[in-house]
């Protein structure tokens, strides 16, 4: 049975696992308890055989209103131990655990997405938003910088002009604008968001999981490399993949294209 949590919810459906921030009455603001639970859940889901694709979203009308200003900031102000524990859990799941999650990750941004919630949007492999979602680097509005790791996230993912504009003005923007500046892959009307996200999750479910894992690791890792380093690393990575892939994906793919002529690699996945 799937474990019950206080601030998050896990739902599993035929290989797709929904990891839901579940404080709708607080617009899914991220409290220390929520961070501890997400940290624990992501550790378990990484090893969970039923989880082939992970979708992160928020319950109710928000994706996440960012860090809980009361519970994460004010109530830890005079408690350095609690503050450090909350910060560590917060950075761990929103960045390290998501970036290194061994299966594909999708963020489905269904509504409000402010401040610290940008980190998980930047960390996942694919992000899809509702046209009607509201994004904002609102930190500047109440007197802090985009901290945690948000300034680094937006400097890395966004164009410098957009990162600076939204961090300095704190102006909110919608899902269409988030797609235009490539904070998310694309946006669709809210009424179609779940169906569209499921469609992409099913595309990923069709692929060989070892290849997917190696692909996400490769694309992320080469970003910090020179051309020559990347060439060497990718050659080694492909050798490691073909040696360890128990499904022998590459051989099957080649056989089905070249011998059986049963499929076209340009249009989809081979039969695993
Ligand atoms: N921290 C703590 N509580 C929050 C947060 C938050 N980030 N966001 C919403 N809540 C709480 C509200 O205090 C309120 O609680 P209450 O019902 O006990 O009074 C409840 O959630 C609902 O919020 P409302 O403001 O009443 O809802 P509304 O739909 O009108 O507005 C909105 C939603 C726009 C998200 C607004 O709550 C807001 O501006 N929140 C702060 C967003 C923000 O700036 N986040 C960045 C935080 S800084 C960081 O992440 C580093």
């Amino acid at each position: 049975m799937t474990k019950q949590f206080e601030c998050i919810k896990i739902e599993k459906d035929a290989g797709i696992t929904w990891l839901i921030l579940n404080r709708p009455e607080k617009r899914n603001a991220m409290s220390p308890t929520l961070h501890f639970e997400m940290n624990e859940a992501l550790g378990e889901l990484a090893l969970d055989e039923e989880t082939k694709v992970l979708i992160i979203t928020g319950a109710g009308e928000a994706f996440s209103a960012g860090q809980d200003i009361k519970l994460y900031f004010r109530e830890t102000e005079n408690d350095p131990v609690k503050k450090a524990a909350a910060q560590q859990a917060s950075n761990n799941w929103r960045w390290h655990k998501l970036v290194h999650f061994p299966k594909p990750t999708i963020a489905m941004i269904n509504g409000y997405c402010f401040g610290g919630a940008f980190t998980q949007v930047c960390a996942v492999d694919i992000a899809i938003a509702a046209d009607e979602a509201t994004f904002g680097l609102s930190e500047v509005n109440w007197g802090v910088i985009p901290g945690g790791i948000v300034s680094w996230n937006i400097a890395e993912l966004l164009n410098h002009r957009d990162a600076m504009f939204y961090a300095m003005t704190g102006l909110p923007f919608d899902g269409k604008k988030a797609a235009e500046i490539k904070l998310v892959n694309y946006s669709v009307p809210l009424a179609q968001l779940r169906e569209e996200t499921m469609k992409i999750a099913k595309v990923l479910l069709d692929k060989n999981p070892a290849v997917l894992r190696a692909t996400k690791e490769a694309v992320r890792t080469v970003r910090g490399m020179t051309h020559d380093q990347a060439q060497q690393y990718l050659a080694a990575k492909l050798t490691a993949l073909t040696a360890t892939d128990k499904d022998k994906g590459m051989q099957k793919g080649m056989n089905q294209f070249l011998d059986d002529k049963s499929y076209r690699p340009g249009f989809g996945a081979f039969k695993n």
Side-chain angles (χ1 to χ4, degrees):
M1 204 182 90
T2 306
K3 187 169 172 181
Q4 303 294 307
F5 293 94
E6 187 186 321
C7 301
I8 66 172
K9 198 167 49 171
I10 296 174
E11 291 172 0
K12 294 185 186 175
D13 177 14
I16 299 172
T17 294
W18 294 81
L19 183 53
I20 304 164
L21 277 65
N22 192 28
R23 301 181 72 217
E25 72 292 349
K26 299 289 183 191
R27 308 296 179 260
N28 304 318
M30 299 181 287
S31 63
T33 303
L34 183 142
H35 290 309
F36 298 138
E37 291 184 350
M38 285 298 272
N39 221 8
E40 179 184 341
L42 279 168
E44 285 170 12
L45 293 174
L47 303 173
D48 174 36
E49 290 191 359
E50 287 177 73
T51 300
K52 314 265 189 234
V53 176
L54 183 79
I55 303 175
I56 294 196
T57 193
E61 65 194 83
F63 175 71
S64 170
Q67 299 289 10
D68 189 307
I69 296 173
K70 178 167 179 268
L71 300 176
Y72 185 82
F73 287 107
R74 181 187 277 172
E75 290 195 358
T76 62
E77 236 168 15
N78 299 314
D79 188 341
V81 173
K82 189 170 176 195
K83 186 177 182 155
Q87 278 175 345
Q88 193 186 35
S90 166
N91 289 329
N92 205 22
W93 82 260
R94 288 178 311 138
W95 191 252
H96 304 289
K97 283 205 169 153
L98 275 182
V99 164
H100 298 296
F101 198 76
K103 307 152 197 193
T105 54
I106 304 175
M108 184 178 93
I109 300 110
N110 50 310
Y112 294 124
C113 178
F114 286 106
F118 273 54
T119 294
Q120 57 261 38
V121 173
C122 295
V124 294
D125 304 323
I126 292 170
I128 306 172
D131 291 342
E132 299 90 331
T134 303
F135 292 80
L137 290 165
S138 53
E139 289 91 336
V140 70
N141 295 340
W142 68 278
V144 294
I145 57 169
I149 196 77
V150 173
S151 290
W152 185 81
N153 294 143
I154 57 168
E156 194 198 29
L157 192 73
L158 299 182
N159 167 294
H160 176 68
R161 285 269 165 249
D162 291 320
M164 200 59 96
F165 182 85
Y166 290 109
M168 298 287 286
T169 64
L171 284 170
F173 53 97
D174 65 12
K176 290 183 184 173
K177 176 56 88 174
E180 189 187 312
I181 65 174
K182 285 292 163 208
L183 174 61
V184 300
N185 291 90
Y186 59 92
S187 68
V188 295
L190 180 60
Q192 292 159 29
L193 182 64
R194 191 179 168 92
E195 189 190 340
E196 181 63 30
T197 308
M198 292 280 282
K199 192 176 95 189
I200 299 303
K202 285 178 182 160
V203 169
L204 296 166
L205 272 180
D206 258 2
K207 314 277 187 226
N208 176 326
V211 176
L212 276 179
R213 180 177 180 174
T215 299
K216 65 185 273 183
E217 288 169 352
V219 172
R220 223 172 239 291
T221 306
V222 294
R223 287 201 294 185
M225 290 182 170
T226 64
H227 174 275
D228 285 358
Q229 287 168 337
Q231 204 172 325
Q232 291 296 323
Y233 161 79
L234 291 170
K237 187 87 180 156
L238 180 59
T239 306
L241 171 66
T242 48
T244 54
D245 174 16
K246 64 179 168 40
D247 293 323
K248 297 284 168 240
M250 189 178 167
Q251 293 309 327
K252 279 188 203 162
M254 280 198 290
N255 294 346
Q256 287 170 27
F257 179 52
L258 299 175
D259 303 334
D260 317 352
K261 299 198 181 296
S262 58
Y263 99 118
R264 296 279 180 277
F267 298 136
F270 65 87
K271 284 200 186 57
N272 209 0

